[in-house]
Each structure stands twice: as C-alpha cells, then as structure tokens.
Amino acid sequence: MSEKALSKATAEDLPATIKIRLSDMDESYIFVSIFGWIIISVGLGIYFFGPDEITYNVFRGPTIGQILLASGLYIASLGVAVCALASQLKKKCVEKHLAAKEALVNEALDFDDKDIPAGYETSITWLDERTFRVEFAKKEQVTDEMHEATN
C-alpha cells in the first residue's frame, strides 16, 4: 500500500500519514506568571532598596505607602504565590491540550482492536505537532522501539 495523507484512517488504509486539526494551546498562564515575577521584583526592590526606618504618626497610624515600604518580603512572598498559581494553570492547560490531542488521534483512527492483525500492534510516530504516521508493527519491534526511546 502507498502512504496517504488523510484526516481519518481505517485498518485497510495503513500505513498512512494522518493530519489532525489541533487548536493551539491556551497560554494565558504566561500573563499570570509575568505578573507574579513583577510582584516579586517589586517586593525584593522594596526590601533591598527601601528605607531602613519608617516614621509615622502614632495617632493616625501608618499610611498605605508606609505599610508597603515596611513589608517588602511579604510582597515578594505574594509574588511567589502568584507564580505558583501560574505553574498550576500551565499544568492544567497542558493536560487539556494533551487530552484534546489524544481525542483527535482516537477519532482519526477509525478501527477497533479486532481489526489489528494477530501478532501486530498499532505504531504511531509523530512527525510534527499535528501530523503522525500510523502503521501495524510486530509486537516485539514496538517493544524494542519503546525500550530504546526510554534509554
């Protein structure tokens, strides 16, 4: 069989190159991460370059500006928490992207396990982010390739 560029493949079409329509990954976490790093920078800047002493009126108490100048490390800690939140958002975005990719691959492969010949497994080789090659390979060959990929 000659190799074809398809959007869907049956067992009879293999080996085949399949192209899926995958949307780009949501990267909104980058803005949260940048915001966190800005907060960290401001907090450390206040801590290292801020005043050594702060005087305020005992009757009125410190102003908002004086409180901020007195708590540089607390501000930096807030920035670290925002960066940790961005890291969790990134993890969720990557998981969502990979789940969508897996669903599209399963949708593109239009055959069941019963269609795979005895002694063979489905072998998928990614050519780029949206294109992969699928074929039937002997079970030993797939296991050897997986072992080489992990070493």
Side-chain angles (χ1 to χ4, degrees), residues 14-110:
L14 300 185
T17 300
I18 301 174
K19 192 169 197 94
I20 56 175
R21 293 177 185 234
L22 183 65
S23 60
D24 291 331
M25 188 169 71
D26 179 22
E27 295 181 344
S28 58
Y29 63 89
I30 293 174
F31 299 112
V32 178
S33 180
I34 291 171
F35 184 65
W37 281 105
I38 290 171
I39 293 173
I40 290 171
S41 300
V42 168
L44 290 178
I46 290 171
Y47 180 73
F48 287 115
F49 304 112
D52 293 333
E53 294 179 354
I54 298 174
T55 52
Y56 60 91
N57 188 325
V58 177
F59 296 112
R60 287 189 283 158
T63 63
I64 298 292
Q66 291 170 330
I67 291 172
L68 291 176
L69 288 173
S71 54
L73 289 180
Y74 295 120
I75 295 170
S77 298
L78 177 65
V80 170
V82 171
C83 284
L85 174 66
S87 175
Q88 291 300 312
L89 288 174
K90 178 181 180 180
K91 180 180 172 185
K92 292 291 183 189
C93 288
V94 168
E95 286 175 357
K96 184 179 175 184
H97 182 73
L98 291 176
K101 188 175 185 178
E102 184 178 354
L104 287 171
V105 168
N106 289 336
E107 183 180 310
L109 299 177
D110 194 21

Side-chain angles (χ1 to χ4, degrees), residues 14-15 116-124 134-147:
L14 300 185
I116 300 172
Y120 287 86
E121 288 183 341
T122 306
S123 173
I124 296 176
V134 62
E135 61 187 341
F136 292 134
K138 291 189 179 191
K139 286 187 179 184
E140 301 84 33
Q141 180 183 356
V142 173
T143 306
D144 291 342
E145 289 175 4
M146 288 173 57
H147 182 66

